[in-house]
Each structure stands twice: as structure tokens, then as C-alpha cells.
Amino acid sequence: MTPTTAAVDPDKRTPGRPRSARAEQAIIDAVLDLIAEDVAIEALSIESVAAKAGVGKATIYRRWSSKEDLIVDAAASLKLPVPDLVGEDVRDDLIALLTSMGPSESATKRNHVFTCLSAQVQRSPELQVWYRKVIEPRRERVREVLRRGIAEGMLRPDLDVEVTLTVLSAPMTGRPIGGLQTQIDRGELAERVVDAVLDGARRR
């Protein structure tokens, strides 16, 4: 009599086995596609993500404990990596950080999802808490550069770091209104914003 072989879930991880990068990417892409289709985040469900990604719900729950954690990771995938900073020049470091903020010129789908997600976040205080988990590490790097500039004597000792951070980041992450931002080439926006802000922030 031939022994019966038990069915094995090919995606089930055993101790020490790495996660399936392909499955994870399919899940992340499914979340972003649904958001791009204007599915409200409040209405987005694990069931709909699983169907879109072509996986079972258990596959998702093995990687994310909740829908909120999944959305945070999906939102984080829209962001460019936080750049390595040389730490020698405050201006150069700020330009590098601002350049990595917000949507990019070349990623059309990413920009559309970013715009849809940003609009939904503004409507939900709860989502704002989740989204801050995504943007806060980059914002903290900007604070570190500003504090370093103050400590080194380049920036005014009375500089309001939080206000300066807000002024620096808003043009990079804000949605264009009435075409106002189209007058400035995206490729040079970070440099022009940093120079304008540093003009008032430098120590006299």
C-alpha cells in the first residue's frame, strides 16, 4: 500500500525559511492597485487584497497581523529610500533628503497612488497616525541636519526646527493646486526650496 502524502502549502514558512518575495510583492501591488482604483482605505479589506493578489488570506496574515500594518508597508513602498548623508554640508544633505520626498517625475503609477493615498489620509485622523509611521524617519533626518547646522554655527541658534522642517517639506509632498507648482521644474525644486529657506535660516 502506497503511503499517503499530506498536502503541503508551498507558501507556508518553516523556521529559518525566508519569506516569498514574489508573494509579498504581489500583495503590496494589490493594495496599491486598489488604492489607485479609488477604493477607500476604510473599505479596503484583506479579502479584496487577497483576491487581487491571487493569494489566500492566510498568506497575508502570515506576513501582516492587521490591515493597518499592510497599508503602512504599502505606503512605505512608495517612498524612495532615505539617502545616505555625507554630513559635511547642511545644504547638500537637505537637498538630498528633500529630493527623496514625495512623488518622482518618472514613476507615473506611483505618483497616482501617492496622490490618492495622500487625499485619503487627510480625511482620516486614524490614517494620519499610520502614515506618520512612514514619513517620520525621513522627517527626523531633516531635524538632525538642522540641529547639526545650529550646533556648528551655520544656522541661527534661535531657529525653530519644526517650522523650518514644515516649510522645507511642504512643497515636496504637497499636491499641486491650480498648476502653481508646474512653473518650477521638479528636478530643481528641492535645491530652490533649500536655498530659499536657508537664506533666512543662516546665522548672520
PDB file of all heavy atoms in Angstrom, residues 156-181:
ATOM      1  N   ARG A 156      21.000  79.828  12.540  1.00  0.00           N
ATOM      2  CA  ARG A 156      20.705  80.672  13.697  1.00  0.00           C
ATOM      3  C   ARG A 156      20.415  79.828  14.934  1.00  0.00           C
ATOM      4  O   ARG A 156      19.713  78.816  14.855  1.00  0.00           O
ATOM      5  CB  ARG A 156      19.471  81.533  13.401  1.00  0.00           C
ATOM      6  CG  ARG A 156      19.687  82.581  12.360  1.00  0.00           C
ATOM      7  CD  ARG A 156      18.381  83.184  11.864  1.00  0.00           C
ATOM      8  NE  ARG A 156      17.269  83.036  12.797  1.00  0.00           N
ATOM      9  CZ  ARG A 156      15.994  82.977  12.405  1.00  0.00           C
ATOM     10  NH1 ARG A 156      15.691  83.002  11.122  1.00  0.00           N
ATOM     11  NH2 ARG A 156      15.025  82.874  13.290  1.00  0.00           N
ATOM     12  N   PRO A 157      20.921  80.226  16.086  1.00  0.00           N
ATOM     13  CA  PRO A 157      20.695  79.448  17.312  1.00  0.00           C
ATOM     14  C   PRO A 157      19.238  79.433  17.747  1.00  0.00           C
ATOM     15  O   PRO A 157      18.811  78.528  18.469  1.00  0.00           O
ATOM     16  CB  PRO A 157      21.589  80.142  18.350  1.00  0.00           C
ATOM     17  CG  PRO A 157      21.798  81.519  17.820  1.00  0.00           C
ATOM     18  CD  PRO A 157      21.804  81.390  16.325  1.00  0.00           C
ATOM     19  N   ASP A 158      18.469  80.448  17.310  1.00  0.00           N
ATOM     20  CA  ASP A 158      17.059  80.515  17.699  1.00  0.00           C
ATOM     21  C   ASP A 158      16.135  79.922  16.632  1.00  0.00           C
ATOM     22  O   ASP A 158      14.918  80.109  16.681  1.00  0.00           O
ATOM     23  CB  ASP A 158      16.655  81.967  17.962  1.00  0.00           C
ATOM     24  CG  ASP A 158      16.792  82.850  16.719  1.00  0.00           C
ATOM     25  OD1 ASP A 158      17.521  82.457  15.781  1.00  0.00           O
ATOM     26  OD2 ASP A 158      16.162  83.927  16.691  1.00  0.00           O
ATOM     27  N   LEU A 159      16.693  79.194  15.677  1.00  0.00           N
ATOM     28  CA  LEU A 159      15.903  78.639  14.580  1.00  0.00           C
ATOM     29  C   LEU A 159      14.851  77.669  15.115  1.00  0.00           C
ATOM     30  O   LEU A 159      15.147  76.787  15.921  1.00  0.00           O
ATOM     31  CB  LEU A 159      16.822  77.904  13.600  1.00  0.00           C
ATOM     32  CG  LEU A 159      16.145  77.347  12.344  1.00  0.00           C
ATOM     33  CD1 LEU A 159      15.717  78.471  11.415  1.00  0.00           C
ATOM     34  CD2 LEU A 159      17.089  76.387  11.615  1.00  0.00           C
ATOM     35  N   ASP A 160      13.615  77.833  14.672  1.00  0.00           N
ATOM     36  CA  ASP A 160      12.529  76.924  15.028  1.00  0.00           C
ATOM     37  C   ASP A 160      12.621  75.704  14.096  1.00  0.00           C
ATOM     38  O   ASP A 160      12.258  75.785  12.923  1.00  0.00           O
ATOM     39  CB  ASP A 160      11.171  77.622  14.872  1.00  0.00           C
ATOM     40  CG  ASP A 160      10.021  76.806  15.436  1.00  0.00           C
ATOM     41  OD1 ASP A 160      10.021  75.577  15.254  1.00  0.00           O
ATOM     42  OD2 ASP A 160       9.097  77.396  16.041  1.00  0.00           O
ATOM     43  N   VAL A 161      13.111  74.603  14.620  1.00  0.00           N
ATOM     44  CA  VAL A 161      13.370  73.416  13.799  1.00  0.00           C
ATOM     45  C   VAL A 161      12.085  72.856  13.205  1.00  0.00           C
ATOM     46  O   VAL A 161      12.048  72.478  12.024  1.00  0.00           O
ATOM     47  CB  VAL A 161      14.098  72.336  14.635  1.00  0.00           C
ATOM     48  CG1 VAL A 161      14.173  71.012  13.872  1.00  0.00           C
ATOM     49  CG2 VAL A 161      15.500  72.812  14.998  1.00  0.00           C
ATOM     50  N   GLU A 162      11.008  72.800  13.976  1.00  0.00           N
ATOM     51  CA  GLU A 162       9.765  72.217  13.479  1.00  0.00           C
ATOM     52  C   GLU A 162       9.139  73.058  12.369  1.00  0.00           C
ATOM     53  O   GLU A 162       8.652  72.526  11.371  1.00  0.00           O
ATOM     54  CB  GLU A 162       8.768  72.033  14.627  1.00  0.00           C
ATOM     55  CG  GLU A 162       9.146  70.934  15.601  1.00  0.00           C
ATOM     56  CD  GLU A 162       9.318  69.578  14.911  1.00  0.00           C
ATOM     57  OE1 GLU A 162       8.441  69.190  14.117  1.00  0.00           O
ATOM     58  OE2 GLU A 162      10.339  68.912  15.179  1.00  0.00           O
ATOM     59  N   VAL A 163       9.161  74.375  12.537  1.00  0.00           N
ATOM     60  CA  VAL A 163       8.617  75.246  11.491  1.00  0.00           C
ATOM     61  C   VAL A 163       9.467  75.138  10.227  1.00  0.00           C
ATOM     62  O   VAL A 163       8.945  75.063   9.104  1.00  0.00           O
ATOM     63  CB  VAL A 163       8.550  76.705  11.980  1.00  0.00           C
ATOM     64  CG1 VAL A 163       8.235  77.645  10.814  1.00  0.00           C
ATOM     65  CG2 VAL A 163       7.495  76.856  13.067  1.00  0.00           C
ATOM     66  N   THR A 164      10.781  75.121  10.398  1.00  0.00           N
ATOM     67  CA  THR A 164      11.681  75.014   9.244  1.00  0.00           C
ATOM     68  C   THR A 164      11.470  73.690   8.516  1.00  0.00           C
ATOM     69  O   THR A 164      11.452  73.645   7.278  1.00  0.00           O
ATOM     70  CB  THR A 164      13.142  75.146   9.691  1.00  0.00           C
ATOM     71  OG1 THR A 164      13.308  76.361  10.428  1.00  0.00           O
ATOM     72  CG2 THR A 164      14.076  75.167   8.497  1.00  0.00           C
ATOM     73  N   LEU A 165      11.300  72.608   9.265  1.00  0.00           N
ATOM     74  CA  LEU A 165      11.012  71.309   8.674  1.00  0.00           C
ATOM     75  C   LEU A 165       9.733  71.361   7.847  1.00  0.00           C
ATOM     76  O   LEU A 165       9.678  70.852   6.720  1.00  0.00           O
ATOM     77  CB  LEU A 165      10.883  70.257   9.777  1.00  0.00           C
ATOM     78  CG  LEU A 165      10.250  68.916   9.388  1.00  0.00           C
ATOM     79  CD1 LEU A 165      11.095  68.199   8.345  1.00  0.00           C
ATOM     80  CD2 LEU A 165      10.064  68.044  10.620  1.00  0.00           C
ATOM     81  N   THR A 166       8.704  71.985   8.376  1.00  0.00           N
ATOM     82  CA  THR A 166       7.420  72.088   7.676  1.00  0.00           C
ATOM     83  C   THR A 166       7.559  72.885   6.389  1.00  0.00           C
ATOM     84  O   THR A 166       7.047  72.485   5.330  1.00  0.00           O
ATOM     85  CB  THR A 166       6.371  72.747   8.580  1.00  0.00           C
ATOM     86  OG1 THR A 166       6.209  71.962   9.770  1.00  0.00           O
ATOM     87  CG2 THR A 166       5.028  72.859   7.871  1.00  0.00           C
ATOM     88  N   VAL A 167       8.287  73.996   6.450  1.00  0.00           N
ATOM     89  CA  VAL A 167       8.471  74.837   5.268  1.00  0.00           C
ATOM     90  C   VAL A 167       9.280  74.101   4.204  1.00  0.00           C
ATOM     91  O   VAL A 167       8.996  74.221   3.005  1.00  0.00           O
ATOM     92  CB  VAL A 167       9.169  76.160   5.661  1.00  0.00           C
ATOM     93  CG1 VAL A 167       9.504  76.978   4.426  1.00  0.00           C
ATOM     94  CG2 VAL A 167       8.274  76.973   6.597  1.00  0.00           C
ATOM     95  N   LEU A 168      10.254  73.333   4.624  1.00  0.00           N
ATOM     96  CA  LEU A 168      11.079  72.585   3.674  1.00  0.00           C
ATOM     97  C   LEU A 168      10.300  71.457   2.995  1.00  0.00           C
ATOM     98  O   LEU A 168      10.396  71.262   1.779  1.00  0.00           O
ATOM     99  CB  LEU A 168      12.298  71.991   4.387  1.00  0.00           C
ATOM    100  CG  LEU A 168      13.437  72.949   4.755  1.00  0.00           C
ATOM    101  CD1 LEU A 168      14.406  72.270   5.716  1.00  0.00           C
ATOM    102  CD2 LEU A 168      14.175  73.418   3.500  1.00  0.00           C
ATOM    103  N   SER A 169       9.531  70.715   3.762  1.00  0.00           N
ATOM    104  CA  SER A 169       8.895  69.507   3.231  1.00  0.00           C
ATOM    105  C   SER A 169       7.592  69.764   2.489  1.00  0.00           C
ATOM    106  O   SER A 169       7.248  69.000   1.578  1.00  0.00           O
ATOM    107  CB  SER A 169       8.639  68.513   4.368  1.00  0.00           C
ATOM    108  OG  SER A 169       7.789  69.072   5.354  1.00  0.00           O
ATOM    109  N   ALA A 170       6.873  70.816   2.847  1.00  0.00           N
ATOM    110  CA  ALA A 170       5.553  71.043   2.246  1.00  0.00           C
ATOM    111  C   ALA A 170       5.564  71.124   0.719  1.00  0.00           C
ATOM    112  O   ALA A 170       4.733  70.495   0.057  1.00  0.00           O
ATOM    113  CB  ALA A 170       4.918  72.288   2.846  1.00  0.00           C
ATOM    114  N   PRO A 171       6.490  71.867   0.106  1.00  0.00           N
ATOM    115  CA  PRO A 171       6.484  71.928  -1.366  1.00  0.00           C
ATOM    116  C   PRO A 171       6.784  70.590  -2.031  1.00  0.00           C
ATOM    117  O   PRO A 171       6.367  70.355  -3.165  1.00  0.00           O
ATOM    118  CB  PRO A 171       7.600  72.940  -1.679  1.00  0.00           C
ATOM    119  CG  PRO A 171       7.783  73.726  -0.436  1.00  0.00           C
ATOM    120  CD  PRO A 171       7.515  72.765   0.673  1.00  0.00           C
ATOM    121  N   MET A 172       7.496  69.709  -1.324  1.00  0.00           N
ATOM    122  CA  MET A 172       7.880  68.428  -1.919  1.00  0.00           C
ATOM    123  C   MET A 172       6.756  67.399  -1.827  1.00  0.00           C
ATOM    124  O   MET A 172       6.624  66.537  -2.692  1.00  0.00           O
ATOM    125  CB  MET A 172       9.130  67.868  -1.227  1.00  0.00           C
ATOM    126  CG  MET A 172      10.289  68.853  -1.134  1.00  0.00           C
ATOM    127  SD  MET A 172      10.762  69.549  -2.738  1.00  0.00           S
ATOM    128  CE  MET A 172      11.184  68.091  -3.666  1.00  0.00           C
ATOM    129  N   THR A 173       5.967  67.467  -0.766  1.00  0.00           N
ATOM    130  CA  THR A 173       4.942  66.454  -0.536  1.00  0.00           C
ATOM    131  C   THR A 173       3.539  66.941  -0.821  1.00  0.00           C
ATOM    132  O   THR A 173       2.610  66.143  -0.909  1.00  0.00           O
ATOM    133  CB  THR A 173       4.998  65.956   0.920  1.00  0.00           C
ATOM    134  OG1 THR A 173       4.799  67.068   1.810  1.00  0.00           O
ATOM    135  CG2 THR A 173       6.348  65.328   1.223  1.00  0.00           C
ATOM    136  N   GLY A 174       3.367  68.261  -0.963  1.00  0.00           N
ATOM    137  CA  GLY A 174       2.034  68.795  -1.209  1.00  0.00           C
ATOM    138  C   GLY A 174       1.557  68.510  -2.617  1.00  0.00           C
ATOM    139  O   GLY A 174       2.335  68.346  -3.546  1.00  0.00           O
ATOM    140  N   ARG A 175       0.246  68.434  -2.783  1.00  0.00           N
ATOM    141  CA  ARG A 175      -0.347  68.218  -4.097  1.00  0.00           C
ATOM    142  C   ARG A 175      -0.399  69.547  -4.844  1.00  0.00           C
ATOM    143  O   ARG A 175      -0.781  70.566  -4.283  1.00  0.00           O
ATOM    144  CB  ARG A 175      -1.755  67.654  -3.951  1.00  0.00           C
ATOM    145  CG  ARG A 175      -1.817  66.344  -3.201  1.00  0.00           C
ATOM    146  CD  ARG A 175      -3.236  65.931  -2.943  1.00  0.00           C
ATOM    147  NE  ARG A 175      -3.950  65.652  -4.181  1.00  0.00           N
ATOM    148  CZ  ARG A 175      -5.283  65.534  -4.244  1.00  0.00           C
ATOM    149  NH1 ARG A 175      -6.015  65.704  -3.173  1.00  0.00           N
ATOM    150  NH2 ARG A 175      -5.865  65.254  -5.396  1.00  0.00           N
ATOM    151  N   PRO A 176      -0.045  69.579  -6.116  1.00  0.00           N
ATOM    152  CA  PRO A 176      -0.131  70.818  -6.891  1.00  0.00           C
ATOM    153  C   PRO A 176      -1.554  71.357  -6.916  1.00  0.00           C
ATOM    154  O   PRO A 176      -2.502  70.601  -7.123  1.00  0.00           O
ATOM    155  CB  PRO A 176       0.322  70.395  -8.299  1.00  0.00           C
ATOM    156  CG  PRO A 176       1.128  69.159  -8.070  1.00  0.00           C
ATOM    157  CD  PRO A 176       0.499  68.464  -6.909  1.00  0.00           C
ATOM    158  N   ILE A 177      -1.716  72.634  -6.688  1.00  0.00           N
ATOM    159  CA  ILE A 177      -3.029  73.265  -6.680  1.00  0.00           C
ATOM    160  C   ILE A 177      -3.072  74.311  -7.784  1.00  0.00           C
ATOM    161  O   ILE A 177      -2.269  75.236  -7.821  1.00  0.00           O
ATOM    162  CB  ILE A 177      -3.317  73.937  -5.321  1.00  0.00           C
ATOM    163  CG1 ILE A 177      -3.282  72.887  -4.204  1.00  0.00           C
ATOM    164  CG2 ILE A 177      -4.671  74.635  -5.335  1.00  0.00           C
ATOM    165  CD1 ILE A 177      -3.429  73.468  -2.820  1.00  0.00           C
ATOM    166  N   GLY A 178      -4.012  74.162  -8.682  1.00  0.00           N
ATOM    167  CA  GLY A 178      -4.163  75.145  -9.745  1.00  0.00           C
ATOM    168  C   GLY A 178      -2.961  75.253 -10.655  1.00  0.00           C
ATOM    169  O   GLY A 178      -2.765  76.275 -11.316  1.00  0.00           O
ATOM    170  N   GLY A 179      -2.110  74.212 -10.693  1.00  0.00           N
ATOM    171  CA  GLY A 179      -0.958  74.239 -11.582  1.00  0.00           C
ATOM    172  C   GLY A 179       0.173  75.137 -11.114  1.00  0.00           C
ATOM    173  O   GLY A 179       1.111  75.394 -11.857  1.00  0.00           O
ATOM    174  N   LEU A 180       0.117  75.615  -9.864  1.00  0.00           N
ATOM    175  CA  LEU A 180       1.135  76.565  -9.394  1.00  0.00           C
ATOM    176  C   LEU A 180       2.531  75.959  -9.415  1.00  0.00           C
ATOM    177  O   LEU A 180       3.491  76.636  -9.750  1.00  0.00           O
ATOM    178  CB  LEU A 180       0.777  77.032  -7.976  1.00  0.00           C
ATOM    179  CG  LEU A 180      -0.487  77.898  -7.851  1.00  0.00           C
ATOM    180  CD1 LEU A 180      -0.735  78.254  -6.387  1.00  0.00           C
ATOM    181  CD2 LEU A 180      -0.341  79.180  -8.678  1.00  0.00           C
ATOM    182  N   GLN A 181       2.638  74.673  -9.048  1.00  0.00           N
ATOM    183  CA  GLN A 181       3.966  74.070  -8.975  1.00  0.00           C
ATOM    184  C   GLN A 181       4.534  73.708 -10.346  1.00  0.00           C
ATOM    185  O   GLN A 181       5.702  73.382 -10.452  1.00  0.00           O
ATOM    186  CB  GLN A 181       3.916  72.827  -8.086  1.00  0.00           C
ATOM    187  CG  GLN A 181       3.721  73.159  -6.612  1.00  0.00           C
ATOM    188  CD  GLN A 181       3.876  71.933  -5.730  1.00  0.00           C
ATOM    189  OE1 GLN A 181       4.317  70.889  -6.174  1.00  0.00           O
ATOM    190  NE2 GLN A 181       3.514  72.053  -4.470  1.00  0.00           N
TER     191      GLN A 181
END
